[in-house]
Every structure is written in C-alpha cells, then in structure tokens.
Amino acid sequence: MTPNFLISRLIASSFTYCKTTQTHLGSLLQHNAFLSFFVTSRTSSDCESDRNHHKGDTFTISYLINSCGLSPHLAKKLSKRVNLKNPDGPNVVLDLLRNYGFSKAQIAKLVEKHPLVLVARVQTTLLPKLKFFCSIGVSTRDMPKILIANYLLLARSLENCLIPRYETLRSVISDDQEVVRALKNSRINFIASDIMNDLIPNIKVLRQCSVPQASISLLMVNFPSAAYAKHSKFVEAVKTVKEIGCNPLQTTFVMAVQVILGMRKATWESRFEVYERWGWNREMTLGAFRKFPNFMKLSEETFSQKMSFLVKDMGCPSEDVADYPPVLAYSLEKRITPRFSVIKILKSKGLVESNLHFSSFMCPTEENFMKKFVINFREDEPLLLDVYKGFIDHQNVI
C-alpha cells in the first residue's frame, strides 16, 4: 500500500513535469494510470477496513442498547471502550449476573461503570469472584450494590488482592456481617488504600489506647475513610483527641478521631468563632465535642438555623444546648421544630414539667413520642396533632 505522502508527491511531481517539459500525451496518460492504480487500490482496502470496523461498532452499540438497557448516546460512548464480536460471551456474563441478584437496571449501571465486564472470562475470573463474595456472607441482595459502588473489585486479582485484603479486614473487625457492611461502605478504600502501612498501624494505635473492639468496628464500618487514613495523620488526630480529653473507652473517642481527620485546622478554629456568637466559650465547645463530636461537622448556616430556633423561638438557654449537643443532630424541619413546638404548648398549659430535659422528648421514636406527648394529651389539647404535623403554628395555640 502506497503511503499518502508518496502519492501526493507523485501527483505533484507529475503536474510539475507537465508544466515544465514537453511530454508525449500517451506517456503522461500511462504515468497517471499508474498512479490511479495505487490510489484506487488503497481506497478499496481502506473502505473494506472501515466497513468491518463500522460493523463491529454497530453490533456493540446495538448489544449495549438491546441487551444491557443503555441509552443510544451512552452505548455509542461506551463502544469506544469495549468491542464485542458476537453475543455469545456477553450473554453468558449477563446470565451469570442475573443469577447473582442483578436486576436489569443494576446490570445497566454496572456496564455503564465497567463495560469490560462484558468480555470477562466467566469461568476463570468472574464466577470465582462472585462465589468468593457469597462465601464471606454477601447476599444476592447486597452483591449488586457492592459491585456497582466498587466495580474495581471485578478488576483485581482474587488470589493476590481480594482474598488477602479480606483476611486483613476480617482480623480487624472479627465479624463476617460487619465485614460485609464495611465492604458496602468502604468502596475505594478496600482496594486502593495501603493496608499494611496505614490501616494496620492505625488499628494498632487504637488498641494501644485501650479502645474497645466495638468502637474499632464502628469506625471501620461507618467511617472507613478515617480508618484507612494516612498513618501520620491518624496518629496526629488521636493525639489531638486525647488532649481534648475524650475517653478512649467510649465510642465518642473514635467519632472524635474521624471528625478531626475530616476537618482542616483552619476550619476547626473557625468553628469556635461561630459558637462564641451563641455564648459558647472554648471550654463549653470542647465539652460539647467530648459528648457528641459530630455536631462540629455542621455547617455554620445549619448550626445557626438550629440554634436560632432553639434559643430565640423556643427560649432554650444556649448553655443547655451545649450540655446536650445531640439535639443538633436531628432535622430541624422533621424533628426539632415539631417536637419542641408540642412540648412548648404542653409546658405553657402546665401539662408537663417546665424543666423537662431535651433527651426525654428528642430521643424517643416517632411512635413513642406520639403516644406519650400527643395522643395522651389530645383531650386537653385537641390541636396538638395539627401543630405536630405543621398545619398550625404553635403560637396560635399557646
């Protein structure tokens, strides 16, 4: 096949030759016919290649749409990442995924994130991994959720990566059900983090501080990014939490560690300025942190909105909120406002004690709160339910 640049030069030289030299017409035609042979030959070959490539693209796109449930736009985009020759192999993959709990929508989601799963070797690669996850307690209900959230699990070696990392995780958590929960929450950490240089030393630090296994499991399952944090940062966070005075024997210790790890020092210091506007000095704030570290993760706007309602609208002393910071964790619209509004009415009518503590009406479940503070007083205050549902402002009842 003659390269493009050579053909161009030959054509150019032939025209130059025609202009500068008197050439016999027959010779020129013969020369151009020679060039035409190469141009025609190359064009035919390229067209055949293009047709074959287009045919492959067309099948891949069609399969992604009809068999995997993808949109035409997404199918065309993903066809650049995976090339399907025929439906045989992909069909086996889809059948296997269905057998392990994948719905049509979940298959579409997995293929969207990891299209190469369609060309995976089923018997030697894909099936052994699915069997392994089942063997450690992953149900067919959780299997799709875990693999869609962390599709890289399907791209890693079972023997060299997944099994060793699972065994390490199992040694840290010691409960298979919690291992599965950790897998669901850890996502990229389980695959990408440096387990030997970060996770294992981090857990060792906690155990040296006498942190109970239940707290370690809590950290691993619910805050995996903190557990897998760089060891130097983890050590610094533990040091800070100890200096603040958090008790290692309580779950608040690991909660405090994950808050510190997720917050920049500048942000941490700026929080004290916000709390000071509501009458909290530094020691009050640290006292609240020791009781309920997660309140420090609230944005300035959210914290101020909740404090404004509690202090200004409900008349709660600011220091009482600092004394019981878990109240700040609840939704302002769904829990804080409805419950405090009901309690304020009951207090104004003398139906409950005026010094009733937050915890007595904020902690109970929806059902228990309704029974104790709404239904029990419906004869005395028939509008309580309407206030609780937000149909009537509490000020109109007091």
Side-chain angles (χ1 to χ4, degrees):
M1 183 178 295
T2 308
N4 287 338
F5 78 91
L6 182 57
I7 293 173
S8 300
R9 289 183 180 179
L10 287 172
I11 293 174
S13 63
S14 67
F15 281 110
T16 302
Y17 184 73
C18 288
K19 291 180 180 179
T20 58
T21 308
Q22 298 295 325
T23 308
H24 191 275
L25 180 60
S27 175
L28 178 59
L29 291 174
Q30 183 179 9
H31 177 65
N32 286 338
F34 175 75
L35 291 174
S36 178
F37 167 78
F38 282 103
V39 173
T40 303
S41 174
R42 178 184 179 278
T43 302
S44 299
S45 176
D46 286 350
C47 287
E48 181 66 25
S49 176
D50 289 343
R51 280 195 295 271
N52 291 337
H53 184 69
H54 180 69
K55 183 178 179 182
D57 281 352
T58 301
F59 173 75
T60 300
I61 294 173
S62 175
Y63 189 88
L64 292 174
I65 295 172
N66 298 324
S67 298
C68 301
L70 274 60
S71 68
H73 173 75
L74 187 56
K76 185 176 181 179
K77 180 181 178 181
L78 293 181
S79 67
K80 298 176 183 179
R81 296 170 57 189
V82 62
N83 183 26
L84 306 178
K85 304 295 184 183
N86 57 66
D88 298 341
N91 281 348
V92 176
V93 170
L94 296 188
D95 288 341
L96 181 63
L97 292 176
R98 293 188 192 99
N99 289 338
Y100 278 85
F102 279 79
S103 66
K104 185 176 181 179
Q106 288 170 330
I107 286 176
K109 198 67 179 177
L110 180 63
V111 172
E112 177 184 351
K113 290 190 171 186
H114 186 48
L116 290 177
V117 70
L118 294 172
V119 294
R121 291 174 291 183
V122 171
Q123 293 300 322
T124 58
T125 302
L126 187 57
L127 180 59
K129 290 177 183 177
L130 297 178
K131 285 184 174 180
F132 166 71
F133 289 124
C134 280
S135 72
I136 64 174
V138 178
S139 66
T140 53
R141 182 185 64 182
D142 288 333
M143 186 82 73
K145 298 175 185 177
I146 290 175
L147 295 182
I148 290 172
N150 189 4
Y151 64 88
L152 289 178
L153 290 169
L154 297 175
R156 295 292 187 268
S157 167
L158 178 61
E159 293 77 15
N160 298 328
C161 179
L162 301 185
I163 293 177
R165 284 176 176 259
Y166 159 74
E167 290 174 345
T168 301
L169 193 60
R170 183 70 172 76
S171 69
V172 171
I173 298 179
S174 74
D175 181 275
D176 276 332
Q177 289 185 344
E178 292 192 340
V179 168
V180 173
R181 290 178 60 200
L183 277 175
K184 290 169 65 175
N185 295 335
S186 65
R187 300 194 177 187
I188 195 65
N189 299 112
F190 179 74
I191 291 297
S193 298
D194 191 337
I195 286 182
M196 299 310 297
N197 292 319
D198 292 324
L199 176 64
I200 296 302
N202 291 348
I203 301 303
K204 184 178 180 180
V205 167
L206 293 179
R207 287 177 173 156
Q208 288 174 342
C209 294
S210 301
V211 173
Q213 179 59 46
S215 295
I216 292 175
S217 295
L218 174 70
L219 184 71
M220 288 293 302
V221 172
N222 296 290
F223 307 100
S225 59
Y228 287 95
K230 289 293 182 182
H231 183 57
S232 58
K233 293 183 178 180
F234 192 88
V235 170
E236 187 65 28
V238 170
K239 179 182 177 183
T240 300
V241 169
K242 290 174 69 176
E243 290 173 349
I244 290 173
C246 295
N247 187 348
L249 299 179
Q250 297 177 351
T251 56
T252 49
F253 188 87
V254 293
M255 297 292 288
V257 169
Q258 62 89 18
V259 170
I260 296 293
L261 281 169
M263 189 176 293
R264 297 176 182 175
K265 289 186 177 180
T267 304
W268 168 265
E269 290 300 326
S270 69
R271 289 287 192 267
F272 291 94
E273 298 176 7
V274 175
Y275 307 143
E276 191 173 337
R277 296 176 204 150
W278 291 97
W280 295 12
N281 59 34
R282 193 176 186 89
E283 186 49 45
M284 286 175 64
T285 298
L286 292 178
F289 181 76
R290 286 191 289 269
K291 293 176 180 178
F292 186 70
N294 269 359
F295 90 88
M296 291 281 278
K297 296 167 73 174
L298 295 174
S299 68
E300 178 180 347
E301 181 182 4
T302 300
F303 178 83
S304 296
Q305 285 177 346
K306 292 180 178 181
M307 288 295 290
S308 179
F309 175 79
L310 293 170
V311 177
K312 294 181 179 179
D313 296 347
M314 293 293 109
C316 300
S318 179
E319 56 270 22
D320 285 1
V321 180
D323 191 54
Y324 187 70
V327 69
L328 296 168
Y330 298 112
S331 166
L332 181 62
E333 295 77 15
K334 297 178 180 179
R335 197 164 184 130
I336 296 176
T337 299
R339 295 196 179 190
F340 269 88
S341 297
V342 166
I343 297 302
K344 187 168 186 178
I345 293 172
L346 295 177
K347 285 183 177 181
S348 70
K349 304 294 182 179
L351 297 174
V352 295
E353 296 178 3
S354 59
N355 60 349
L356 191 66
H357 196 268
F358 297 162
S359 59
S360 62
F361 58 87
M362 289 303 296
C363 293
T365 63
E366 179 78 4
E367 182 181 0
N368 290 337
F369 179 85
M370 283 288 294
K371 288 179 180 179
K372 186 174 182 179
F373 296 105
V374 178
I375 296 175
N376 280 352
F377 297 100
R378 61 186 171 185
E379 292 184 3
D380 301 289
E381 286 296 337
L383 294 179
L384 276 179
L385 182 60
D386 288 333
V387 171
Y388 187 66
K389 296 296 184 182
F391 300 144
I392 301 176
D393 190 284
H394 72 279
Q395 295 287 359
N396 297 328
V397 180
I398 295 176

